[in-house]
Amino acid sequence: MKLNVDELRTGFPSLHQMVNGHKLVYFDNAATTLKPQIVIDRLNAYYQKENSNIHRGAHYLSSKATAAYENARCTIQKHLNAAHSHEIIFTRGTTEAINLVAASFSKKFIHEGDEIVVSAMEHHSNIVPWQLACADRKATLRVIPVNNDGELVLDDLDALLNEKTRMVAVAHVSNALGTVNPVEAIIAKAHQRNIPVLIDGAQAAPHMKIDVAALDCDFYCFSSHKVYGPMGVGVLYGKEQWLEQMPPYQGGGEMIKEVKFSGTTFNELPFKFEAGTPNVGDVLGLESALKYLTNLQLDAVANHEYNLIQYAIEKLKTLENIKLMGSPAKRAGVVSFLFTDIHPYDTGTILDKMGIAVRTGSHCAQPLMDILQVPGTVRISFGVYNTFAELDYLIDSLVKIRKLFT
Ligand code: PMP
């Protein structure tokens, strides 16, 4: 199955605008994706016809919105192939999902002298919450190293895991390099020692089919806004056995069974972890975004983006003084590079003048940039609507930038 890119582009209104006098070329999909009209329409429909607070209301609109919200939870359960819908917790995004696990899991399961393992290529969102948990619990953070190809050194993982390790938290796909990490092998190694694994799927969910049952991960998280859905919502999948044992993350309405000044009892899953009024509209937008992706067929999406990546790498390599960051065996969504004689920020700023949106900087992965000894990179990241013609225009523009600087 092949993506009909010309046709699907007509469904993304933001693509059809001029930026700095040029047709917009959007290569910043790892930061956030553009939204299809179908998602925008779903948000409009909710606010025009269904808007209501959910779960407690006795009236028509509240029942309708409650049913839609809980139905979206089931859609996401099926999308991830989770065993139960109550294993799907709605959060503000990947960041909040990781903070939830780091705070709640550590309160129950992490004690003085314990260890948590992350990798050297994590986004700050999968480092800092664990650093906070370590500080709180007097635990130590250990790091899986990365090699020059931008791949994790898995041989070192065996030496890192021991009887004190309480959690392994790694990215499925690196947002800075695009490396697809061998999460299956990492999960297997950790599980041999009964250590749970959290997978940060923020950069995987837009590009591949995620099957939490096949992965057998303990936690998986992603953000709606990177899978063509609205901002402000995300998903935490957690195995029932862990979520049941973990204490609440935040207190408030929805998450309680009974409140007394003498003591409060908590609601069942998933509500125990969803304090306060949920972001109903955006959950419904996320549901329609995932349906949109499923309709396109994730295999076709992966295939199209793989071809774009190969083409981009081949063309970039022809440019002078270019350094491509990493050459992982498996890559998704992202190509990072820099000109050795031009600061990434300058490259990004001039590309913007040509209507091309890319991201420059450390990509919230400062430890990785330190290891790679670069000030940052220029990152191009792909979505379903990107074309080979857009890549040709990018390469022509980079050639012009080179001429400007020589
Ligand atoms: N992890 C990775 C790998 C990411 O790329 C991002 C977003 N750049 C995040 C976590 C954080 O996602 P959010 O800001 O949507 O919470």
Side-chain angles (χ1 to χ4, degrees), residues 142-359:
R142 313 278 313 264
V143 183
I144 311 170
V146 65
N147 66 20
N148 286 339
D149 287 334
E151 291 178 323
L152 295 181
V153 186
L154 270 211
D155 292 347
D156 289 17
L157 180 59
D158 291 312
L160 283 175
L161 300 179
N162 60 53
E163 71 289 348
K164 289 184 277 178
T165 316
R166 293 287 167 264
M167 173 67 78
V168 175
V170 286
H172 199 163
V173 173
S174 155
N175 68 305
L177 302 175
T179 310
V180 181
N181 285 321
V183 288
E184 295 83 356
I186 295 171
I187 293 165
K189 277 178 192 286
H191 282 182
Q192 271 167 14
R193 296 167 174 83
N194 294 322
I195 302 164
V197 180
L198 175 142
I199 304 293
D200 170 354
Q203 297 297 341
H207 306 297
M208 60 186 75
K209 172 101 195 77
I210 307 298
D211 184 333
V212 293
L215 282 174
D216 196 27
C217 54
D218 299 273
F219 301 97
Y220 197 98
C221 23
F222 68 95
S223 299
S224 158
H225 70 97
K226 296 190 200 278
V227 292
Y228 308 95
M231 288 195 173
V233 74
V235 170
L236 168 67
Y237 157 80
K239 274 187 187 162
E240 181 186 50
Q241 67 180 88
W242 293 116
L243 294 176
E244 282 291 5
Q245 296 181 74
M246 285 159 50
Y249 171 54
Q250 293 179 328
E254 294 271 339
M255 54 74 74
I256 51 92
K257 192 177 274 166
E258 198 177 27
V259 179
K260 288 188 186 305
F261 282 116
S262 54
T264 289
T265 50
F266 304 122
N267 207 340
E268 61 201 17
L269 290 176
F271 313 111
K272 180 172 85 172
F273 290 110
E274 291 182 5
T277 298
N279 187 350
V280 182
D282 290 330
V283 162
L284 301 181
L286 165 60
E287 178 187 36
S288 66
L290 290 179
K291 284 184 175 167
Y292 172 81
L293 259 185
T294 304
N295 273 343
L296 287 183
Q297 306 219 347
L298 275 153
D299 286 348
V301 168
N303 192 41
H304 174 62
E305 292 171 350
Y306 174 83
N307 291 335
L308 287 172
I309 287 172
Q310 297 311 312
Y311 189 74
I313 291 174
E314 190 186 305
K315 294 280 170 183
L316 284 169
K317 275 184 178 162
T318 63
L319 301 179
E320 257 171 56
N321 290 1
I322 193 146
K323 183 174 161 73
L324 285 175
M325 303 311 298
S327 54
K330 282 180 85 181
R331 192 197 279 268
V334 168
V335 176
S336 248
F337 67 92
L338 76 164
F339 288 123
T340 50
D341 50 351
I342 309 173
H343 196 281
Y345 182 75
D346 292 333
T347 309
T349 307
I350 304 172
L351 285 175
D352 177 54
K353 297 275 173 284
M354 297 163 167
I356 303 174
V358 298
R359 188 141 295 238

Side-chain angles (χ1 to χ4, degrees), residues 13-258:
S14 357
L15 275 178
H16 309 287
Q17 60 184 308
M18 303 296 279
V19 168
N20 293 325
H22 299 270
K23 257 172 74 178
L24 169 67
V25 171
Y26 190 78
F27 281 134
D28 195 18
N29 294 284
T32 200
T33 50
L34 304 178
K35 315 306 172 205
Q37 187 62 46
I38 211 166
V39 169
I40 301 166
D41 288 346
R42 184 66 192 94
L43 294 176
N44 273 335
Y46 170 72
Y47 286 110
Q48 282 170 0
K49 296 216 169 92
E50 294 156 280
N51 179 64
S52 179
N53 209 330
I54 60 170
H55 290 145
R56 291 161 303 234
H59 59 85
Y60 170 80
L61 282 182
S62 179
S63 312
K64 196 171 170 188
T66 303
Y69 181 79
E70 289 308 325
N71 202 43
R73 199 189 302 276
C74 294
T75 304
I76 289 155
Q77 172 206 350
K78 288 193 195 95
H79 188 84
L80 295 179
N81 196 26
H84 308 288
S85 62
H86 58 252
E87 294 179 317
I88 305 300
I89 314 286
F90 290 117
T91 64
R92 279 196 300 121
T94 308
T95 303
E96 191 180 48
I98 298 172
N99 274 279
L100 187 162
V101 179
S104 166
F105 181 93
S106 67
K107 234 179 242 161
K108 173 90 181 186
F109 294 106
I110 298 180
H111 301 101
E112 188 164 351
D114 285 344
E115 295 181 358
I116 296 166
V117 173
V118 298
S119 93
M121 66 168 78
E122 297 311 310
H123 187 280
H124 297 161
S125 292
N126 201 25
I127 299 175
V128 184
W130 300 112
Q131 287 178 325
L132 294 173
C134 282
D136 192 42
R137 310 304 294 166
K138 298 192 174 59
T140 305
L141 197 65
R142 313 278 313 264
V143 183
I144 311 170
V146 65
N147 66 20
N148 286 339
D149 287 334
E151 291 178 323
L152 295 181
V153 186
L154 270 211
D155 292 347
D156 289 17
L157 180 59
D158 291 312
L160 283 175
L161 300 179
N162 60 53
E163 71 289 348
K164 289 184 277 178
T165 316
R166 293 287 167 264
M167 173 67 78
V168 175
V170 286
H172 199 163
V173 173
S174 155
N175 68 305
L177 302 175
T179 310
V180 181
N181 285 321
V183 288
E184 295 83 356
I186 295 171
I187 293 165
K189 277 178 192 286
H191 282 182
Q192 271 167 14
R193 296 167 174 83
N194 294 322
I195 302 164
V197 180
L198 175 142
I199 304 293
D200 170 354
Q203 297 297 341
H207 306 297
M208 60 186 75
K209 172 101 195 77
I210 307 298
D211 184 333
V212 293
L215 282 174
D216 196 27
C217 54
D218 299 273
F219 301 97
Y220 197 98
C221 23
F222 68 95
S223 299
S224 158
H225 70 97
K226 296 190 200 278
V227 292
Y228 308 95
M231 288 195 173
V233 74
V235 170
L236 168 67
Y237 157 80
K239 274 187 187 162
E240 181 186 50
Q241 67 180 88
W242 293 116
L243 294 176
E244 282 291 5
Q245 296 181 74
M246 285 159 50
Y249 171 54
Q250 293 179 328
E254 294 271 339
M255 54 74 74
I256 51 92
K257 192 177 274 166
E258 198 177 27

